Amino acid sequence: MKRKLTICLDEKTIRKAEILAAREGISLSDLLARKIELMVGDAKDYAATKRLALAYLDQGFHMGGGAGATREKLHERRG
């Protein structure tokens, strides 16, 4: 179900938005609706991506390689 939304903008902003809408061949209302839907979708995608990234960080990554050298091995003196 769609509902109407009323917003207040200054005349200069409204005029620029009307020009953008005209360039895309859509109404100002449709332009604003699309932009808001994109912003809401981006926020949802961001939250899902953040959860996934944090899960990967908790799990850790295998970066390859074998066991590292010990401190003693790295600091042994060659005579």
Side-chain angles (χ1 to χ4, degrees), residues 3-44:
R3 290 179 30 198
K4 288 190 178 217
L5 172 69
T6 302
I7 62 170
C8 294
L9 299 169
D10 64 77
E11 283 295 323
K12 188 175 181 181
T13 302
I14 293 170
R15 185 66 190 136
K16 288 179 180 180
E18 288 172 335
I19 292 168
L20 286 174
R23 285 183 187 158
E24 294 194 27
I26 58 176
S27 69
L28 180 54
S29 180
D30 285 342
L31 176 75
L32 293 172
R34 288 180 185 182
K35 297 297 181 185
I36 291 171
E37 287 169 358
L38 284 173
M39 289 176 4
V40 170
D42 288 347
K44 182 181 174 186

Side-chain angles (χ1 to χ4, degrees), residues 50-71:
K50 180 180 176 182
R51 280 193 302 277
L52 181 60
L54 290 174
Y56 281 140
L57 289 174
D58 285 341
Q59 173 184 335
F61 295 96
H62 178 60
M63 303 300 283
T70 63
R71 178 179 169 84

